[in-house]
Amino acid sequence: MVPRFRQVFGFQESGLVLIVLALGALLTAFSGRVRVPEFTRGPDGARHRVFVTDAAGGRTPAFATRNKFLNGQNLAQLAKDTSFVAIMAVGAGIVIISGGIDLSVGAIYALASVVGALVLRHYGPNGPGAGAPAGVGLLLGAGAGIGTALLCGLFNGSLIVALRVHPFIITLGAMAIIRGLAFVITTGQSVGGFPVGFRQLVRYEVGDGLSLMPLAVMLLVMAAGWIFLSRLATGRRVYAIGGNELAARFSGIRIGRVKLGVYLLSGLSAGVAALLSLGYYGAATSGDGQGYELNVIAAAVVGGASLAGGRGSAVGVVLGALIIQMIASGIVLLSIDQNYSQIIIGTVVIAAVALDNFNTWLGRRRLSQKTP
Amino acid sequence: MIEFKGITKRFPGVVALNDVSFSISRGSCHALIGENGAGKSTLGKILAGVHRADEGTLHLDGQPVAPATPVAARELGIAMVHQELAFCPNLTVAENLCLGELPRRAGWVDRTAMRARARALLAAVGADLDVDAPMETLSTGREQLAQIAAAVGTGARVIVMDEPTSSLSAGETQELFRLIRELKVRGITLIYVSHRMEELFALCDAITVLRDGRHVSTGPIRATDPQRVIAQMIGRELGVHRPRHLERPPGAERLRIEGLASPGRFQDIALSVRSGEIVGLAGLVGAGRSEVAQAIFGLDPAAEGRVLVDGRPLPARSIAAALEAGIGLVPEDRKRQGLVLSLNCRENISLAALPRLTRGGWVRRGMERALASRYASRLRVKAPSLEVVTAGLSGGNQQKLALAKWLARDCDILIVDEPTRGVDVGAKAEIYQLLDELASEGKALLVISSELPELIGLCGRILVMRAGRLAGALPRAEFSEAALLRLMAGV
């Protein structure tokens, strides 16, 4: 059992889990307490406030005192916020392991959102396709969003492979082009008015407002990423190309094919996150996901992916996203001025990578001293 | 007098040097020899300030010194000529030579003064180089001359040379030897790290043998002989190797090359390799041997001509087709081309064989582990486990992994480029034996090597390339270093 656990959950991931636990303990200890309104869940699944009837017959809303960090509502919020970033970070992580980079994920997220939103609106309550069965609109909307994201990934991948230009440049250009397309097709307007069923599906909640859908999709994406990277032959090839592209070529690996696939996966992950956000927020604009590329890359790097390529894991990347979200939420909980949040997160990213380097060095040293 | 006293240096997983003590007299050429991993390069690097000793002291003319950086070593008059690139390849010779201290006038680089200084530095070692040529356009040999010029120019009294001839042509080697003898006359101490016995005995005054990080012996070179040095290096006598595959006549023709050419690299190459045969491919560095190997394997996008396996022509320029036909290429540079150093031993061995280990896209892990351990043990790869990253292994073990990768792929036609470069004597013998075994099993082997004794010992037939063309072929009965050298040099 233990060796198996170690295989799945490498040394690096264990370290990240420790950091998550330590951060959680710190936030619990220092965030103080808060009075939160109490809810009860009706038989229809909707939440209702709990009222206390006093002796005089007056009804006052009931409150409970909870830890600011360690309470259901806050954790549910954290889970949702982490999900969106983590899903995209798995795709970005795979690109980074292959030795590439994808700066266009935020833009792909926006374009996939608005394209999906336009189709969903068509089948929405006020759209021309309102009469169609509920499932049709959902499927077409999801298909359009995912398809758009895959096309963007194909665009990136094929240009990187065909032109042999550094992915940084290609995806930097793609970021502007794709974001521009999103503006053009929406003329900057917000797109909403989706079929009711869609929002209900994504916002389905249990407990203290925990939306199951984003969390479940994130766990699925993480599992898929883990299987891809550590169990499938293509995943092995991704590590090989990231570690030494020339040696991979000498081993008969078709570099172009693998790279194309990697950017498709990155686009796909942005598309999945976009769909979830559509359901969650019920609307999309071309400005969505601005700056996500940096959050996503930061999550991957904090999670142990090496920008030099050849190193990283799906579980690590998701933990990296969680750590960053915990810090962002900690800034709110500890009532630190919001203006500092960017500074703090930037510092954390640099510190995480420096610490990782130090840790690697320490590990090597320990190894060398153990040998007689 | 340079004295090492109780030097110990540890690296991840190995003790590179263990309590090494000996001394080197001034103005001599001192050979440092040992198997790969014996610690000779590490010792040179400690002297040159690249590494710091964990324990022990270094004395220079009786004074204890501890150069912490290469710059500090330079100030003590110690310089090192590296195996690897020591220069910025994109800058010119003049810029590189003056990089430490660019002549300036009012903040601007004084290019005239820089060129003049570079020319003076080069003239001091009798090197005739174009100071305005970018460093990357120079051959390895000429770059080494520039390194030596830089070392002597900055007042170095001790120069450490780490495998200086490993990628030099015969002419360049002679030029280097002439320069070394001249430097010795000028009273400069040379520490010569090498595997090549004949060079050491031709050049050096004294010799120190290291084994497994320990000091074995130091003494005047006249008091010993190559057989004894080899015995000291490996701790046992090395039996003379007789290839067994020659006992049987070669079988059917497996690989045939017709009219293979690549503009600017090589032309008009025709050769054939039979089952159970080891064909050697000799030639000076730059004769186009590795380029031919890569073209056969489908790696040269400009290659023309026909590659036939068992009489059937392969589609041109396709690695996939070459692999499918059972051709494998063990490339000359294992770190750059042969292995993915960030992957572990198992993953490197199975990398080329992945298609055979895959079902529905999934790697069959049990099969993979079995395959990796089978070939690791057949090649006697020495690693703590197959799950360790390959970056930390010695050159010999890395080379075995690069070979194992193609054996695991079940290749019947193996092209092996410089199979023993930078590999210690013990591992060399094992690799020779392995290649011989493979031929005995009926595989067809094409072996490229710069070490003539290696080809002479191993092959049934040797082809010689010169300046991109086949210059001739020798059957085993006519093998001799002299005959090969004549063909290689065209005299």
Side-chain angles (χ1 to χ4, degrees):
Chain A
M1 189 61 209
V2 171
R4 167 122 309 185
F5 174 78
R6 283 231 184 95
Q7 258 177 31
V8 175
F9 228 56
F11 172 73
Q12 188 139 32
E13 285 84 348
S14 321
L16 290 168
V17 168
L18 281 182
I19 293 175
V20 167
L21 293 178
L23 264 177
L26 273 177
L27 287 174
T28 307
F30 289 104
S31 62
R33 307 182 77 73
V34 66
R35 270 159 53 87
V36 292
E38 279 197 82
F39 289 93
T40 170
R41 204 167 278 285
D44 57 342
R47 296 204 299 169
H48 304 288
R49 291 292 294 268
V50 175
F51 290 93
V52 182
T53 314
D54 60 24
R59 275 155 50 91
T60 50
F63 283 92
T65 310
R66 297 270 169 76
N67 184 288
K68 250 189 185 174
F69 175 75
L70 204 63
N71 71 67
Q73 264 171 311
N74 184 58
L75 292 181
Q77 170 85 16
L78 182 63
K80 182 214 75 184
D81 288 342
T82 303
S83 300
F84 293 124
V85 177
I87 288 167
M88 294 166 74
V90 170
I94 293 173
V95 170
I96 288 172
I97 292 168
S98 83
I101 190 107
D102 188 350
L103 296 175
S104 66
V105 285
I108 296 178
Y109 173 90
L111 186 64
S113 287
V114 298
V115 170
L118 286 171
V119 174
L120 284 168
R121 186 172 67 180
H122 182 83
Y123 291 97
N126 306 317
V136 175
L138 272 183
L139 280 180
L140 287 178
I146 299 282
T148 306
L150 284 174
L151 276 179
C152 294
L154 185 70
F155 175 80
N156 280 333
S158 48
L159 282 187
I160 287 163
V161 172
L163 300 183
R164 296 184 187 198
V165 176
H166 194 281
F168 189 96
I169 304 298
I170 297 283
T171 58
L172 185 70
M175 172 167 95
I177 294 171
I178 294 168
R179 174 79 62 189
L181 276 175
F183 265 105
V184 169
I185 61 173
T186 58
T187 62
Q189 303 289 312
S190 170
V191 183
F194 306 152
V196 190
F198 183 46
R199 287 204 74 188
Q200 278 175 349
L201 185 68
V202 177
R203 293 207 76 147
Y204 177 75
E205 290 177 353
V206 295
D208 276 332
L210 175 67
S211 303
L212 276 185
M213 200 66 167
L215 192 61
V217 172
M218 178 194 81
L219 291 176
L220 269 178
V221 168
M222 180 178 84
W226 178 77
I227 287 173
F228 174 80
L229 284 172
S230 66
R231 290 293 183 268
L232 299 190
T234 315
R236 180 74 57 76
R237 297 191 177 106
V238 170
Y239 281 103
I241 291 174
N244 184 347
E245 188 170 327
L246 190 63
R249 203 158 81 89
F250 270 74
S251 306
I253 292 174
R254 294 171 194 188
I255 311 278
R257 218 183 261 197
V258 176
K259 280 192 177 173
L260 188 65
V262 155
Y263 288 92
L264 274 174
L265 285 179
S266 175
L268 177 65
S269 71
V272 169
L275 270 191
L276 278 179
S277 81
L278 278 185
Y280 199 85
Y281 298 111
T285 75
S286 52
D288 285 348
Q290 203 104 48
Y292 271 26
E293 54 279 347
L294 295 183
N295 290 346
V296 159
I297 292 168
V301 169
V302 168
S306 160
L307 282 177
R311 215 160 64 91
S313 77
V315 178
V317 161
V318 168
L319 289 171
L322 179 59
I323 288 172
I324 287 190
Q325 280 307 324
M326 282 176 88
I327 290 167
S329 118
I331 290 166
V332 178
L333 292 177
L334 299 177
S335 319
I336 297 170
D337 188 339
Q338 273 300 297
N339 298 322
Y340 287 102
S341 104
Q342 299 228 9
I343 299 175
I344 293 173
I345 290 181
T347 312
V348 165
V349 170
I350 295 175
V353 175
L355 208 70
D356 184 43
N357 280 349
F358 177 68
N359 202 12
T360 313
W361 176 80
L362 215 65
R364 277 208 202 117
R365 224 173 72 126
R366 210 175 301 133
L367 199 67
S368 75
Q369 278 167 354
K370 247 186 230 162
T371 338
Chain B
M1 183 95 127
I2 303 161
E3 280 179 281
F4 296 93
K5 287 187 180 169
I7 300 280
T8 297
K9 175 73 188 171
R10 299 182 192 90
F11 286 119
V14 284
V15 179
L17 290 171
N18 193 345
D19 194 20
V20 170
S21 307
F22 67 97
S23 59
I24 295 171
S25 50
R26 283 284 193 177
S28 69
C29 181
H30 196 103
L32 210 50
I33 192 167
E35 290 191 307
N36 253 43
K40 50 195 193 311
S41 291
T42 310
L43 200 62
K45 285 180 178 169
I46 286 175
L47 187 60
V50 180
H51 294 317
R52 294 194 73 171
D54 294 325
E55 286 162 36
T57 51
L58 186 62
H59 295 257
L60 211 57
D61 301 324
Q63 297 295 313
V65 292
T69 62
V71 176
R74 277 283 168 99
E75 278 161 12
L76 293 168
I78 305 165
M80 184 159 184
V81 175
H82 287 271
Q83 282 169 316
E84 301 94 14
L85 275 180
F87 289 124
C88 307
N90 51 332
L91 300 182
T92 68
V93 172
E95 283 163 340
N96 268 302
L97 285 177
C98 301
L99 208 51
E101 202 186 334
L102 283 172
R104 263 167 301 198
R105 199 162 50 195
W108 296 68
V109 174
D110 184 346
R111 299 194 67 84
T112 318
M114 181 179 78
R115 281 199 202 93
R117 193 199 288 176
R119 280 200 197 94
L121 287 174
L122 290 169
V125 298
D128 178 28
L129 303 181
D130 176 9
V131 293
D132 292 319
M135 199 53 94
E136 62 200 344
T137 61
L138 264 56
S139 68
T140 318
R142 315 218 113 210
E143 194 200 302
Q144 261 175 7
L145 286 183
Q147 278 195 46
I148 295 169
V152 173
T154 50
R157 306 297 298 154
V158 179
I159 299 180
V160 183
M161 296 194 171
D162 194 358
E163 300 274 2
T165 57
S166 64
S167 45
L168 296 196
S169 63
E172 287 173 328
T173 304
Q174 288 313 315
E175 207 174 335
L176 180 72
F177 287 1
R178 180 193 55 73
L179 178 57
I180 288 175
R181 292 196 180 98
E182 205 179 298
L183 293 174
K184 226 164 69 180
V185 172
R186 289 195 217 167
I188 290 174
T189 312
L190 287 141
I191 296 167
Y192 195 92
V193 179
S194 180
H195 280 119
R196 298 191 181 182
M197 206 68 71
E198 65 276 29
E199 289 177 6
L200 301 182
F201 279 86
L203 270 180
C204 299
D205 310 306
I207 185 165
T208 290
V209 182
L210 296 175
R211 182 171 74 227
D212 299 330
R214 290 172 190 277
H215 178 251
V216 178
S217 74
T218 294
I221 205 149
R222 275 186 304 275
T224 185
D225 61 74
Q227 283 308 317
R228 221 171 108 194
V229 170
I230 288 178
Q232 285 176 332
M233 281 166 66
I234 60 175
R236 63 191 147 93
E237 295 280 347
L238 190 69
V240 182
H241 183 72
R242 285 289 311 168
R244 281 195 308 120
H245 76 275
L246 293 169
E247 289 165 12
R248 273 189 300 170
E253 180 182 271
R254 299 297 319 273
L255 177 69
R256 181 176 192 84
I257 311 295
E258 291 174 353
L260 196 66
S262 177
R265 296 195 178 91
F266 56 86
Q267 48 196 314
D268 223 8
I269 304 296
L271 59 88
S272 85
V273 187
R274 293 164 173 276
S275 161
E277 193 182 28
I278 302 182
V279 176
L281 190 55
L284 300 176
V285 170
R289 297 166 302 166
S290 301
E291 289 79 357
V292 167
Q294 293 180 12
I296 296 173
F297 194 54
L299 279 163
D300 183 348
E304 286 160 26
R306 300 216 299 167
V307 176
L308 299 99
V309 173
D310 298 329
R312 280 188 301 277
L314 296 184
R317 301 176 289 272
S318 163
I319 306 175
L323 278 173
E324 207 43 54
I327 303 180
L329 169 65
V330 182
E332 70 178 315
D333 187 338
R334 61 181 163 266
K335 286 190 177 174
R336 255 169 31 82
Q337 304 163 328
L339 297 174
V340 180
L341 294 175
S342 59
L343 293 181
N344 64 33
C345 300
R346 166 177 55 82
E347 290 164 333
N348 266 299
I349 293 177
S350 67
L351 196 58
L354 271 184
R356 291 175 186 199
L357 295 172
T358 307
R359 188 170 48 195
W362 294 68
V363 178
R364 302 167 78 174
R365 295 162 63 78
M367 263 177 82
E368 186 194 15
R369 265 194 291 272
L371 185 82
S373 63
R374 173 148 32 103
Y375 285 103
S377 61
R378 170 156 188 201
L379 270 71
R380 273 166 285 189
V381 175
K382 288 175 208 87
S385 104
L386 289 181
E387 303 299 313
V388 298
V389 169
T390 42
L393 298 180
S394 74
N397 280 314
Q398 287 182 349
Q399 186 67 39
K400 287 178 185 174
L401 284 176
L403 269 160
K405 179 166 120 181
W406 293 108
L407 299 185
R409 181 67 169 76
D410 248 349
C411 291
D412 287 339
I413 304 166
L414 269 177
I415 307 170
V416 191
D417 196 351
E418 299 288 1
T420 63
R421 176 178 288 174
V423 165
D424 61 68
V425 179
K428 261 186 191 176
E430 284 178 359
I431 289 173
Y432 296 149
Q433 196 189 335
L434 177 84
L435 294 176
D436 183 29
E437 269 173 37
L438 293 173
S440 305
E441 288 166 16
K443 295 190 193 297
L445 275 77
L446 181 63
V447 175
I448 299 172
S449 176
S450 295
E451 294 195 26
L452 296 181
E454 181 168 303
L455 292 179
I456 290 173
L458 205 55
C459 301
R461 201 147 60 83
I462 298 178
L463 310 175
V464 181
M465 278 188 76
R466 181 171 71 237
R469 286 171 183 276
L470 280 178
L474 291 179
R476 190 166 175 92
E478 293 171 27
F479 282 0
S480 76
E481 288 202 42
L484 286 168
L485 278 168
R486 273 197 299 275
L487 280 171
M488 284 160 68
V491 290

